Structure formats: C-alpha cells, structure tokens
Amino acid sequence: MTRHLLTATALAALLTALPAAAQEMRIGLGDDADILDPDQSRTFVGRIVYAGLCDKLVDLDADAQIIPMLATDWTYSDDGLQLVMNLRDDVVFHDGTAFDADAVVANITRSMTLPESRRKSELSSVASVEATGPLQVTFTLTAPDASLIAQLSDRAGMMISPTAAKAAGADFGQNPVCSGPFKFVERIQQDRIVLEKFEDYYDADRIKIERVTYRPIPDTTVRLANLQSGELDMVERIAATDVGTVNQTDGLSLQEVVGLGYMAIYANIGNGDRALTPMGEDARVRQAFSLAIDREALNQVVFDGTARAGNQPFPPTSQWYNQDLPVPARDVEAAKALLAEAGQERVAVEIQHANNPVVTQMMQVVQAMVAEAGFDVTLRATEFATLLSEQTAGNFQLSRSDWSGRPDPDGNLHQFVTCEGGINDPKYCNPEVDRLLNEARAVTDPAARKALYDEAGVILNQDLPVIYLGHQTYIFALDDKVQGFKALPDGMIRLQDVTLAE
C-alpha cells in the first residue's frame, strides 16, 4: 500500500510541475494541399498553409492593397525597368539560415529556373535579380511590369531556405523550410499537416498559438460536424446552405468576405489526345455549352445567393470587369443552333470535378442544364490534388476548378491563357492574346491597362478556353473561443494576434 501511495504522490508532483497544455489551433480545410513547395504548388489550401509557414516579400491588407512583409519598402526606377527592394534585418529561416539579399536572389532564381517551377510565367519580365547590398535586392526587367509587386505578394514572393532548397531540390516540399511564424512538423497525406510556433520568428510576440493542425475534410457537412463537436476550432469555405445552422448553434460564429477569384470550367484544347473532341476542337461547341448554363440559377440553387454570377476572370464589382461583355442569359435555342452550325446534334463530354458536396451539386445542376441543349455529360469526381495533376497531364476533357484570385488583374489571367503560362492546362495559345496581356503588364496607367484586358477578353469570350461560372464568397465558421481572426479577400488564414480563449 505504501508503495502505491508513494507512486501516486510522485505522479501528482510530476503533473503539478508540467506546463499548461500548449494552445493548438485545429483548422478544417476543404481539400488537401498539393506539394508544399511554393515554386511547384497551385492549390488554394496550400496557400492557406503557407500563410503560417512561409512569409513573403510583401503581403495584402484587408483592402487587398500591397503592404510590407519581408521587404520594408520598394521603389521603381523612372523608366520602370528596375525594382529595388530593401529587406528586414531580423529574419532567419527555420533551419537557422540568415535571410538577406543573397537569399532573395537564390529564391527568385530558383522560381525562374527550377524545371518543375510554375512561377516562371509570373516572373517572365525579370531579366535578372542581384544583391545590391546585404539587405537590398534589385530586379532588372525586360519591360515595365505593373503586375510584379502583386506576384511577389503570393508564391513567387514566398521565401524558402536556400540551404534546404539546395539540399532537397525538387523534393523540397517533403520537408519545407521557410521563415514564417510556424515551422513544419509533419504531414500525413489526406489526414493532416502540422506546424509549430517558430520561436525565432521576427514578430513572435504576435503569435499566441503554439501549434496548428490543418485537417483536409472535403465533405462540408462532415467539416461542420467536426466544428460543432469540438474536434475543430475553425473551418474554411463552409457551404452557403450551412450558414443558418451555424447561426443557430451556440458557441459558433461566422465571418465572410467576397473573394478575388472565380469558379470555372477549363476546356482541354491542346493538351494531348483528350483534346481531340468536338469540345476541344471547336469554339462553337464551347460557346454552346456556356450558353446552356444559367449562372444566376447556379448561384441561387447552390450558393443560396451568396455568390456572384460571372463570365470573366474578374467579378462584376471589379474595376477590371468589361461591362460590354455582361453575364450571358441562358439561351438553349441559341446553343442548339451553335451545335448545328458546328455539325453536331449531341455531344458527349466528361467533366472532372472535386469530390466535395458543393462542387458535386454544382456540376449536377450544370449537367442537367446543358443536357437540354444537346450535351451528354458524364461526371467524374476525384480528390482535388489528383484533379490538378490530371489537368496538368492533359487527362481531361473539361475540368471544374476554382482560382482564389489576385489583387492585380494579371494574376487572374496571364498564367492561365498565355501560350507559355505556368498554369495553362488547356494548352490554349493565341499570339494576339499573348501580345495584349504582355503589353498590359508593361502599362502602368489603369485606363490603358483596362483597354488591353477588355480587348483580350473579347477574344477569350469567343475562344472560351476557360468557361467562367461565377465568383464565390469565402465563409468561415469559428468556435467562439477563437479571438482575433479577420477574414481577408484573398481567403487566407493569418494567425497573427489570434488567440484561443480558455
């Protein structure tokens, strides 16, 4: 008996000596991230993870304006051919490597030259980058590029450890090393990504959370159920139909913000053998498909009116939206006439889409709509990262995917539709579109830029390599113990100043 009492006493003393449990933030994601390498990745949820893992040269504020991050300030030369950025002097990467001008040069060079990099087209205006001081870097451009700063607010501007990047090469994403507020701990595919607080972070006083676990749960109903049961603290992109449930649940709250991007269907035009279909070979067939869709009905049925119907890479509320190309009304007879003109009566086509309930419902509605015009649609649901791999490989006819959007119009368009665009999965190529979009990068006057985007938009509206459907609102559901979070238009989850109340 005495022996057991001594053991219990010792155990009690040990427990008393232990520190309080570290605060862990558990976040439910709508998909699993792809590779965690800023140069290779392309998923929206990957960017959410990067918001905790990898700081950027510049960031966005609540109004989607560019603000300093790792770069403290920047200036362009009078001719627009040089961009000079000054850098913070108190930053280290998670492996202890110093962040300085040489590190920026190594990062930008990797983004431009790594064979697997998707950032090449985003940085195509950069002729060279050099350290012009220990904490100063100078970009020399082939032509003025109004979009470059905005590109540096996302993956092209994310800084990774040059030491780790050199050692890992294309496998960097298996153990990413950045300079953000949290460092990588582990990843189990389709289950979780775990980060923990980086104690040497330059702004560590603003990081109150000790550990972050991201859980990919594609089913929106299951994601919300996990929040209600206390298994999660926050979920992103809840279904609009679940807003009422959250509002009626004690201890939960909502935040929502209109996004910068779009929802779309990509058409395989020149990416391998699966482009050799009426849909891939004839723009009139794609036009007919688009005309058979009632975009406003999609918004009402699937999103309870929280989305915006759209037919361009910019929402109707954007200054870049072309008012002369309004969202088309559904016209089944016109669609049938276009099919007949193309020598088709009925067209069989497969659409791949992400295997979550909201996207599935959306595509089932589209399937029913276009059937009336002569399209026999087969739906193929797949995990989202797999869907993107299939797009890259050309293993699709039509593919339904979202783009989260960028603050500069170039970021919603150039890399998707220019001949060498880094995310041009349709393999669409029109030299005139390239000319217009490249020229738009080099123009700083907003009105002149818009005229070029409008002109390119007329061509793209005819060719339809991307069939735009609308623009979604990002809806976050949170446990009330989550304090300090603010939803921004880019949909990212920034954890600076966020706490978990006891």
Side-chain angles (χ1 to χ4, degrees):
M1 180 66 69
T2 303
R3 184 176 178 181
H4 285 288
L5 286 173
L6 287 172
T7 303
T9 301
L11 178 60
L14 176 62
L15 290 173
T16 301
L18 286 174
Q23 283 202 323
E24 179 184 11
M25 184 83 163
R26 301 160 302 170
I27 300 173
L29 304 177
D31 310 290
D32 196 16
D34 58 349
I35 185 170
L36 293 177
D37 179 342
D39 281 333
Q40 299 185 61
S41 63
R42 60 182 294 180
T43 58
F44 173 69
V45 293
R47 294 175 64 224
I48 290 178
V49 175
Y50 290 139
L53 182 66
C54 302
D55 276 3
K56 304 165 290 189
L57 290 173
V58 293
D59 200 10
L60 303 182
D61 65 12
D63 298 316
Q65 299 298 306
I66 307 295
I67 59 174
M69 198 171 200
L70 294 177
T72 58
D73 59 81
W74 51 92
T75 55
Y76 278 99
S77 60
D78 290 341
D79 61 6
L81 294 178
Q82 284 196 325
L83 169 65
V84 178
M85 305 188 89
N86 294 310
L87 310 173
R88 295 187 66 99
D89 62 1
D90 53 356
V91 179
V92 294
F93 292 99
H94 299 154
D95 62 357
T97 300
F99 170 77
D100 55 17
D102 289 335
V104 175
V105 170
N107 269 268
I108 299 300
T109 301
R110 181 180 192 266
S111 297
M112 295 170 61
T113 60
L114 183 74
E116 297 83 2
S117 175
R118 294 182 180 277
R119 310 283 80 86
K120 294 175 184 176
S121 62
E122 299 169 16
L123 298 169
S124 61
S125 64
V126 178
S128 64
V129 57
E130 60 181 326
T132 46
L135 293 170
Q136 185 184 82
V137 63
T138 298
F139 294 79
T140 299
L141 311 183
T142 58
D145 185 355
S147 74
L148 181 58
I149 283 291
Q151 301 289 10
L152 298 177
S153 74
D154 195 62
R155 282 172 288 221
M158 290 178 187
M159 296 290 104
I160 67 176
S161 165
T163 304
K166 183 177 180 180
D171 294 328
F172 173 85
Q174 295 180 12
N175 185 26
V177 181
C178 296
S179 65
F182 299 90
K183 61 183 180 180
F184 181 78
V185 176
E186 68 169 347
R187 177 179 190 176
I188 299 176
Q189 209 80 22
Q190 305 298 324
D191 182 70
R192 63 182 179 269
I193 297 171
V194 182
L195 311 179
E196 67 181 15
K197 182 177 178 178
F198 178 45
E199 296 298 339
D200 292 328
Y201 185 57
Y202 63 87
D203 210 8
D205 288 346
R206 295 183 61 197
I207 306 302
K208 316 298 183 182
I209 306 297
E210 297 292 332
R211 192 176 180 92
V212 190
T213 299
Y214 302 91
R215 296 290 306 275
I217 306 174
D219 190 310
T220 54
T221 302
V222 175
R223 202 154 69 245
L224 179 56
N226 274 265
L227 179 68
Q228 291 173 307
S229 69
E231 295 298 315
L232 295 173
D233 303 305
M234 174 191 297
V235 297
E236 56 94 19
R237 286 181 297 168
I238 70 164
T241 50
D242 288 333
V243 167
T245 300
V246 174
N247 284 330
Q248 294 167 17
T249 302
D250 290 340
L252 299 184
S253 60
L254 289 170
Q255 286 198 35
E256 56 185 81
V257 62
V258 177
L260 302 171
Y262 56 77
M263 302 175 284
I265 297 174
Y266 296 83
N268 188 346
I269 291 175
N271 196 348
D273 292 342
R274 298 206 69 190
L276 304 177
T277 66
M279 184 69 73
E281 295 179 321
D282 197 324
R284 292 170 297 185
V285 176
R286 298 190 292 276
Q287 293 166 12
F289 187 93
S290 179
L291 273 174
I293 299 172
D294 187 331
R295 289 162 171 80
E296 188 52 48
L298 277 181
N299 172 33
Q300 296 299 329
V301 171
V302 181
F303 298 100
D304 272 9
T306 63
R308 294 293 299 264
N311 66 321
Q312 299 177 34
F314 323 116
T317 54
S318 169
Q319 65 171 317
W320 306 104
Y321 185 80
N322 186 351
Q323 300 290 343
D324 294 331
L325 293 175
V327 176
R330 186 180 188 230
D331 193 334
V332 172
E333 293 308 312
K336 289 180 178 179
L338 280 167
L339 281 186
E341 184 181 318
Q344 306 290 333
E345 183 175 355
R346 298 204 68 81
V347 173
V349 62
E350 179 188 82
I351 306 178
Q352 69 167 5
H353 63 89
N355 60 344
N356 74 64
V358 173
V359 174
T360 298
Q361 181 191 15
M362 189 178 196
M363 298 322 298
Q364 288 170 342
V365 175
V366 169
Q367 181 185 42
M369 287 176 174
V370 300
E372 296 180 24
F375 291 92
D376 298 319
V377 170
T378 301
L379 298 178
R380 177 164 65 95
T382 184
E383 188 271 326
F384 187 63
T386 301
L387 176 144
L388 295 180
S389 295
E390 297 282 72
Q391 279 187 200
T392 301
N395 188 23
F396 72 102
Q397 294 178 341
L398 293 178
S399 186
R400 163 74 180 86
S401 185
D402 294 343
W403 179 245
S404 53
R406 300 296 183 268
D408 188 272
D410 181 272
N412 279 13
L413 196 52
H414 191 284
Q415 60 192 327
F416 295 96
V417 297
T418 52
C419 297
E420 300 300 324
I423 319 180
N424 182 359
D425 294 332
K427 292 296 185 282
Y428 169 77
C429 186
N430 184 321
E432 181 62 9
V433 170
D434 276 32
R435 182 188 70 79
L436 291 166
L437 296 185
N438 287 335
E439 188 175 335
R441 278 185 166 182
V443 173
T444 56
D445 176 63
R449 287 189 84 195
K450 186 178 187 306
L452 292 165
Y453 287 121
D454 285 353
E455 193 174 344
V458 171
I459 300 172
L460 293 168
N461 191 59
Q462 292 296 312
D463 292 349
L464 285 182
V466 183
I467 300 170
Y468 302 100
L469 302 174
H471 312 273
Q472 68 177 246
T473 295
Y474 296 125
I475 308 175
F476 299 86
L478 304 84
D479 190 294
D480 284 349
K481 68 183 179 182
V482 177
Q483 301 291 316
F485 172 72
K486 296 180 181 179
L488 269 61
D490 61 359
M492 297 298 99
I493 297 176
R494 294 167 173 83
L495 294 176
Q496 283 81 354
D497 303 318
V498 174
T499 61
L500 292 174
E502 295 297 333

